[in-house]
Amino acid sequence: MSRTGIEAKPAWRTLPPEVRAAAEAALGSPVARAMRIWGGYGPTPTFRLRLRDGRRAFLKAVGPDGNEFMQKAIVREMRVYRELGPVLGAWAPACLGFLTLPGWHAILLEDLGPKTAPPWTRPLSRQIMHAYADFHKGTAGASPPDWLHRPQWRGWPSDAGAGFEDEEAARWLSAAGPALAEAGAAAGSQRVILHNDTRSDNLRWVRGRLCLLDWPAAGAGEPELDLAPFAQSITVDGGPPPEQLVAWYAERAPVDPVALTAAVVGVAGFFLRNAFEAEIPGLPRLRTFQRAQLAVTLAWAAKRLDLPPPAWLGSHS
């Protein structure tokens, strides 16, 4: 069963009895109520659990119906919690345990409550950008393990514009391509732990604490590689413009303008490659969201490079 426009997620009672029993054993109490958590962009089973002893917990799982990407992602996230827990500290929810059963993997976490944003008000946006800068500063001295992802927001696609029947889009991409490719090839020097997927549904703001959820894509690289995609996602969600969000971040931590431009170009390139692909079964909102992100990031990149605005995107949203 699913809600209109939202990915299907199973009810707690439909999970195998052995999975539910293992969760209760790991938590030390029977589950009194399990509330499905809707959101994200995949059908991963996620629940806020209220235990009979009054405690709460959060469970995310992947079962045998999960695709290969989902299976690998949860195993990788389990490794992040196991091996990077001391480094991530208060920036991640407390991990309460792991479940590994035939066909199933699950992570039990501290329950941090419902989504914090949107709405992205200016005061909340500024507080969270300050805290995000503190997160990067707090991991700057860490020695990231070799198995962590390296930056994914890299470069401008050499085939940008291929397949576009829109002549205005093709002309703009052809004319802007050299400047975007040159800017996208730059890199910064600072190295921090990266979350690599920070957006509204992957964070909570709890009594002045920023907590980041969903860590399978955790990586290491320049902080701008986290800053650029996070800032544009807030704008897409109705928040302040990305330039203002970066300015608030910069009140707490330095921002390399060259590395930031490279990251913005890289994010725009990523969405250009993916936003117009065929819909993925089970992910009915992903491409629409990616096209909205492309509109923000490509306009941002054009502004930073003094290029004409990509007005053609209005007909492809």
Side-chain angles (χ1 to χ4, degrees), residues 186 266 272:
L272 184 68

Side-chain angles (χ1 to χ4, degrees), residues 5-18:
I6 298 180
E7 296 73 18
K9 286 179 179 280
W12 177 253
R13 66 181 181 276
T14 67
L15 266 59
E18 58 270 26

Side-chain angles (χ1 to χ4, degrees), residues 75-231:
V75 170
R76 187 176 186 87
E77 186 170 13
M78 292 167 75
R79 187 175 188 182
V80 170
Y81 279 109
R82 284 192 179 105
E83 299 187 27
L84 292 183
V87 176
L88 300 179
W91 306 108
C95 184
L96 306 178
F98 305 102
L99 305 179
T100 300
L101 294 90
W104 285 87
H105 292 288
I107 305 175
L108 296 162
L109 300 167
E110 169 189 12
D111 177 24
L112 295 165
K115 284 176 64 172
T116 302
W120 280 102
T121 64
R122 288 177 65 85
L124 178 63
S125 299
R126 187 182 185 197
Q127 288 178 308
I128 287 182
M129 295 313 295
H130 283 178
Y132 202 54
D134 291 341
F135 157 60
H136 287 143
K137 287 195 300 181
T139 64
S143 298
D146 291 339
W147 56 265
L148 273 183
H149 283 299
R150 278 352 188 214
Q152 59 176 316
W153 313 114
R154 284 295 190 204
W156 181 251
S158 58
D159 59 347
F164 275 92
E165 297 181 2
D166 185 324
E167 293 184 4
E168 182 183 1
R171 284 196 301 270
W172 191 96
L173 290 166
S174 176
L180 290 164
E182 181 179 359
S189 57
Q190 188 181 11
R191 293 293 183 274
V192 300
I193 299 295
L194 303 173
H195 179 268
N196 260 336
D197 195 22
T198 315
R199 58 178 194 254
S200 299
D201 55 318
N202 284 346
L203 66 84
R204 297 292 186 273
W205 181 250
V206 183
R207 295 182 295 277
R209 170 195 173 198
L210 174 64
C211 195
L212 304 176
L213 314 175
D214 289 348
W215 288 89
E222 304 98 304
E224 292 80 11
L225 294 166
D226 252 355
L227 175 57
F230 182 35

Side-chain angles (χ1 to χ4, degrees), residues 224 228 259-269 296-298 300-301 304:
E224 292 80 11
L260 177 64
T261 301
V264 174
V265 169
V267 175
V296 170
T297 50
L298 195 54
W300 188 13
R304 292 188 67 83

Side-chain angles (χ1 to χ4, degrees), residues 10-36:
W12 177 253
R13 66 181 181 276
T14 67
L15 266 59
E18 58 270 26
V19 173
R20 288 178 281 146
E24 293 179 334
L27 293 168
S29 175
V31 172
R33 185 183 180 206
M35 181 187 306
R36 272 181 288 187

